Amino acid sequence: MQDPIVIQAPALAQKAQRSTREWQQADAAHFLHPFTDSKALAAKGSRIITKAENIYLWDSEGHKILDAMSGLWCVNVGYGQPSLVEAATRQLQQLPFYNAFFQTATPPAIELAELLAEVSPPQFQHVFFAGSGSEGNDTVVRMVRHYWASLGQPERQVIISRENAYHGSTMAGASLGGMRYMHAQGGLPIPGITHIPQPYWVEHGQGMDKDTFGKVAAGWLEAKILEVGPEKVAAFIGEPVQGAGGVIIPPATYWPEIQRICDKYGILLVSDEVICGFGRTGAWFGCETQGSRPDLMTFAKGVTSGYIPLGGVMVSERVAKVLIEQGGEFEHGFTYSGHPVAAAVAVANIRLIQKLRLVEHVRDDVGPYLAQQFATLKDHPLVGDAETCGLMGALLLVKDPATLTPFPAELEIGMVCRGHCFGNGLIMRAVGNRMIIAPPLVMTRAQVDEMMALIRRCLDLTLADARSKGWL
C-alpha cells in the first residue's frame, strides 16, 4: 500500500519587513476593496493594520488605535482571545473541512446548532448555516417563499423591508436593504421586494413625541401590506437597530406594534441580528431588547466575533415544522454551511461570552455607563442628539442643536469628523451626518472614558474646521 502523500511544512524563512508604502503599492496593484473608490484609494494609500489586542489596533507605522467599531460590528469578545485561536487550531488538526451535503454532519456543527438553540429565544430550535450575513439573508428569501409554497400559497412572494436598511451585499441581500446608492448599481432591487420608510424620528417624526411616532412608523407596514395585498405578502424583515444606516434606534413603541401587525396578517417576521446579536444590545439578540418575537433570525459577525466567517438563520418551530413535515428537498445551501472550523470557533466564542458574562456586562454595567457618558456630548455645539442602545451609539452632527438644522450634505461633515478620528487614534464611523460606534463588548468603564475623551477631542477639531471654513 502506497504511503499517504503528506508534505511537511518547510521552516519559515524570515521575511523582510515591508514598509508602509510598499504595502500600499501592492494593495493598490492587486486588492479591490469593498465599498471603495479604488482610484481615490490608490492615490491616498490604504491604512495598513498589522496587529490587535483587546479593543486596540496598531497600524504599520506603530500608531495605537482604539477600535470603537469592533472591526465591522463583529469583534464582540475583543481581539486576541486564546480560547478561540486554540479552538480553530484543534479543529484544523482533527478535521479541517467536510461539507453538510450528502446526509452528513460534523460534531462542531451539531454542537453549535445545539448551543444556538440554547441561547436563542425559545421559539428557535433549528438553524440553517451559511458563510455570512448576506448569505443568511439570501437564505431568508428562499426559505420564506418555500414555506408559503409548501403551505399551498405560492402567491405569497413579496418581502417588505425598510429604506436605509442594510441586509448585505449579495443580489438578494442588497435588494432587501433599502440603500438607494446600492440599488443604482446592478438593476436592484430584484422583483418581489418593496420598502417602507425607516423609523427615524429626526427625518420623519419631528412635531410628535417619539412614542407616538413609533406607532405611526409601524403603521407604514400595515399600509404597505394593504397596498400589495395581504395574500401576496410573505414576510417583513428589519434590523432591531439599523446599524449601517446610522444606528437608527426606533422608539420603544415601534417593534411591539410591528409584531401586532405581522400577527394580524399572518406574515412572517424576520429579525436581522447580524449586528445586534450576541450581546450587542444588552440581550443575546436585539429582538429581545426591542420587543418582538420573530419567526426567523439572521446572524453572523458576533457569532464568531469575526475571528472566522460564519453566518446563518435561526428557524422557528412555525417554519421548521412545515419544512420538515412537508418533506422534499429545500434546494438551497453552500459549500461552507456548517464549516467545522468556523463552528468550533463559534462554540468557543459563545462559551466565552457566557463565561465572561458579557451580555450582563453590557446590560447592567458598561452599557448604562456608556449611555450616561454619551449623553454628556449633547452639550457640544455640533451635537444635536446622542443616543445609545447597549454598546451601540450615534451622534447627530448639526449646524444648530436647538433646531436640528443639518449641514448641507455636500459639506460631508461626518467625513471631516471621521478624518480627525483616524488622525487621533480612534475608529469611529461616519454615516452621513451621524457618527457611530459599536465597540467590543469587553470594554471597561475606564476604556469608555478613554474613548469619550478621544470623541470630544475630535468633535472640537471638527468644530474648529467648520468655523474656519465659514460653515457656522
Side-chain angles (χ1 to χ4, degrees), residues 1-62:
M1 181 177 176
Q2 186 176 1
D3 291 338
I5 299 173
V6 178
I7 301 174
Q8 299 296 331
L12 294 175
Q14 187 68 33
K15 287 187 177 181
Q17 182 63 43
R18 295 194 197 186
S19 69
T20 298
R21 185 60 190 147
E22 288 170 333
W23 281 120
Q24 290 172 334
Q25 289 172 337
D27 179 66
H30 302 291
F31 188 179
L32 292 174
H33 292 240
F35 287 90
T36 297
D37 180 332
S38 297
K39 181 178 180 180
L41 180 62
K44 180 182 179 182
S46 298
R47 177 187 296 268
I48 309 299
I49 301 298
T50 57
K51 70 173 185 175
E53 182 180 349
N54 189 243
I55 70 166
Y56 303 101
L57 305 167
W58 282 264
D59 68 17
S60 54
E61 297 293 301

Side-chain angles (χ1 to χ4, degrees), residues 367-407:
Y369 186 70
L370 174 65
Q372 178 187 28
Q373 297 305 307
F374 223 58
T376 67
L377 295 172
K378 292 180 182 179
D379 66 5
H380 195 277
L382 282 182
V383 176
D385 196 15
E387 54 184 342
T388 68
C389 178
L391 278 196
M392 309 171 74
L395 301 175
L396 175 65
L397 304 187
V398 294
K399 289 185 67 173
D400 182 358
T403 61
L404 300 183
T405 303
F407 286 92

Side-chain angles (χ1 to χ4, degrees), residues 77 81-98 106-116 129-130 299 302-311 336-354:
V77 300
Q81 291 287 2
S83 61
L84 275 63
V85 177
E86 291 162 6
T89 302
R90 284 194 305 269
Q91 191 58 47
L92 282 165
Q93 291 170 337
Q94 182 172 348
L95 178 67
F97 174 73
Y98 199 71
T106 64
I110 298 169
E111 184 180 359
L112 176 58
E114 286 181 312
L115 188 53
L116 287 167
F129 288 119
F299 65 86
V303 69
T304 64
S305 285
Y307 280 49
I308 198 164
L310 178 68
Y336 300 123
S337 293
H339 191 291
V341 179
V345 172
V347 169
N349 177 69
I350 294 171
R351 293 298 187 203
L352 186 61
I353 291 172
Q354 292 174 320

Side-chain angles (χ1 to χ4, degrees), residues 134-148:
S134 294
E135 288 182 1
N137 281 326
D138 276 37
T139 299
V140 162
V141 173
R142 298 284 305 280
M143 188 173 286
V144 299
R145 290 175 174 172
H146 178 57
Y147 167 83
W148 288 113

Side-chain angles (χ1 to χ4, degrees), residues 74-199:
C74 51
V75 189
N76 289 11
V77 300
Y79 296 98
Q81 291 287 2
S83 61
L84 275 63
V85 177
E86 291 162 6
T89 302
R90 284 194 305 269
Q91 191 58 47
L92 282 165
Q93 291 170 337
Q94 182 172 348
L95 178 67
F97 174 73
Y98 199 71
N99 64 74
F101 291 59
F102 317 129
Q103 301 179 0
T104 62
T106 64
I110 298 169
E111 184 180 359
L112 176 58
E114 286 181 312
L115 188 53
L116 287 167
E118 175 188 322
V119 300
S120 296
Q123 68 268 33
F124 295 107
Q125 294 298 315
H126 292 84
V127 59
F128 190 99
F129 288 119
S132 67
S134 294
E135 288 182 1
N137 281 326
D138 276 37
T139 299
V140 162
V141 173
R142 298 284 305 280
M143 188 173 286
V144 299
R145 290 175 174 172
H146 178 57
Y147 167 83
W148 288 113
S150 297
L151 289 177
Q153 300 179 57
E155 68 279 4
R156 282 192 181 250
Q157 293 276 317
V158 176
I159 300 173
I160 301 172
S161 183
R162 300 181 296 194
E163 296 168 2
N164 197 39
Y166 185 81
H167 295 296
S169 194
T170 52
M171 292 291 284
S175 296
L176 290 171
M179 296 185 167
R180 294 174 185 171
Y181 62 89
M182 294 178 69
H183 292 174
Q185 296 179 343
L188 302 179
I190 60 176
I193 296 172
T194 189
H195 299 82
I196 60 175
Q198 63 179 337

